[in-house]
């Protein structure tokens, strides 16, 4: 799905109070240069809520920041739920704002997937139910902080997941043949060069550092697949289901990697 058609479902840092840079914790590792506790502002967060080292994140040890997207939850919480009043202006709201951000981020991720499902002609049999569910989740995102804190997100996620699974079945069926199922498979570091994975179910698969050079991933379901350091050089991802920009940002690729319409080729990929 062309993500560029859904600006409200992509992070807009200019209209956010740096929520991901404060609410989320991280540990010193290959992805982060330091430890940070939840609720503690990142040392790189400026007074205007922008990142002071945004253009150098990968080179100074903050690669983890480059593969994160709140799917627009940050600006929704900042400008709508809390009416444009930041946690710095009203410190007493900080803890609550961060809790709501966790909930909103999950809802916006679900909206992202529901929107794509509605953009898939093959999923037309479930479009009516998808529309109703999309409207319901959108209504949740407009709720008050009280409502959002009390929302039973696992139940909402279960309802949405049922529709996404059906969407996946309908779309992958158009791939022809008998698509492979590697759902949740441990494929860390596996040599899958040139693999025929068209229409495969790769939901939640661990593909960390896997060699997918030249692999056919067209129409594959990649929801939740871990593509950190996976080599997608020359791979075909056209029509891939539920792929997100952060997944691509976490992987490696090159100019020959075929991407779905609307996705950006990460700057760190080989030319």
């Amino acid at each position: 799905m062309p993500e560029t058609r859904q600006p409200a479902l992509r992070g807009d840092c200019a209209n956010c109070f740096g929520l991901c840079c404060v609410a989320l914790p991280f540990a010193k590792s290959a992805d982060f240069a330091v430890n940070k506790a939840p609720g503690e502002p990142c040392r790189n967060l400026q007074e205007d809520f922008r990142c002071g080292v945004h253009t150098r994140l990968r080179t100074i040890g903050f690669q983890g920041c480059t593969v994160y997207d709140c799917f627009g939850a940050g600006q929704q919480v900042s400008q709508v739920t809390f009416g444009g009043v930041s946690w710095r202006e009203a410190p007493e709201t900080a803890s609550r704002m961060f809790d709501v951000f966790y909930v909103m981020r999950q809802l916006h991720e679900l909206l992202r997937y529901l929107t794509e499902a509605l953009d898939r002609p093959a999923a037309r049999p479930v479009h009516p139910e998808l529309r109703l569910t999309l409207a319901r989740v959108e209504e949740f995102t407009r709720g008050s902080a009280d409502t959002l804190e009390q929302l039973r997100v696992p139940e909402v996620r279960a309802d949405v997941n049922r529709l996404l699974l059906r969407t996946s079945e309908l779309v992958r069926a158009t791939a022809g043949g008998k698509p492979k199922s590697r759902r949740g498979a441990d494929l860390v570091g596996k040599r899958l060069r040139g693999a025929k994975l068209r229409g495969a179910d790769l939901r939640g698969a661990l593909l960390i550092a896997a060699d997918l050079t030249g692999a056919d991933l067209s129409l594959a379901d990649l929801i939740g697949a871990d593509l950190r350091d996976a080599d997608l050089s020359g791979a075909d991802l056209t029509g891939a289901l539920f792929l997100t920009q952060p997944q691509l940002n976490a992987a490696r690729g090159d100019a020959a990697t075929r991407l779905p319409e609307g996705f950006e080729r990460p700057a760190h990929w080989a030319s």
Side-chain angles (χ1 to χ4, degrees), residues 18-160:
L19 298 184
C20 66
C21 305
V22 187
L24 306 181
F26 50 73
K28 188 173 182 179
S29 62
D31 291 323
F32 296 101
V34 296
N35 294 316
K36 190 187 84 64
E40 173 191 340
C42 174
R43 67 185 189 184
N44 299 313
L45 185 66
Q46 301 180 116
E47 287 300 312
D48 63 356
F49 301 113
R50 305 302 290 269
C51 175
V53 294
H54 180 71
T55 59
R56 299 185 290 123
L57 287 169
R58 282 187 170 273
T59 61
I60 63 172
F62 288 89
Q63 180 174 315
C65 298
T66 70
V67 298
Y68 179 81
D69 190 342
C70 70
F71 298 104
Q75 64 259 30
Q76 181 72 12
V77 172
S78 299
Q79 303 302 328
V80 179
T81 314
F82 285 85
V85 180
S86 77
W87 50 271
R88 280 183 175 147
E89 296 171 277
E92 70 279 5
T93 67
S95 178
R96 197 177 194 200
M97 188 179 294
F98 302 152
D99 288 343
V100 169
F101 174 66
Y102 282 114
V103 174
M104 190 70 77
R105 200 271 182 186
Q106 294 180 73
L107 295 177
H108 271 236
E109 182 180 17
L110 295 178
L111 289 176
R112 160 67 179 78
Y113 294 137
L114 286 166
T115 301
E116 175 177 347
L118 280 166
D119 204 35
R120 298 281 183 164
R124 192 167 287 110
V126 290
H127 277 185
E129 197 170 358
L130 283 166
R131 290 191 188 94
L132 288 173
T133 302
L134 177 69
R136 185 163 64 95
V137 177
E138 286 180 330
E139 185 62 27
F140 289 147
T141 69
R142 293 190 286 268
S144 67
D146 283 338
T147 301
L148 287 160
E149 285 184 305
Q150 295 169 18
L151 186 65
R152 295 179 179 177
V153 178
E155 294 181 9
V156 178
R157 185 176 289 278
D159 287 343
V160 172

Side-chain angles (χ1 to χ4, degrees), residues 174-256:
T174 66
K178 187 177 181 180
K180 298 178 181 178
S181 178
R182 308 302 296 274
R183 185 184 300 185
D186 184 351
L187 302 171
V188 176
K190 293 291 185 180
R191 184 178 174 82
L192 298 168
R193 182 181 291 260
K196 306 301 181 185
L197 295 168
R198 178 177 170 82
D201 183 353
L202 291 167
R203 284 179 145 242
L206 299 177
L207 290 158
I208 302 169
D211 182 2
L212 290 160
T213 305
D216 184 359
L217 293 161
S218 57
L219 294 175
D221 185 342
L222 292 170
I223 195 169
D226 194 335
L227 296 173
R228 284 178 293 169
D229 290 323
D231 192 347
L232 298 173
S233 299
D236 184 359
L237 290 134
T238 54
L241 269 162
F242 307 128
L243 176 69
T244 65
Q245 189 66 48
Q247 285 175 299
L248 290 178
N249 293 347
R252 292 179 290 128
D254 61 13

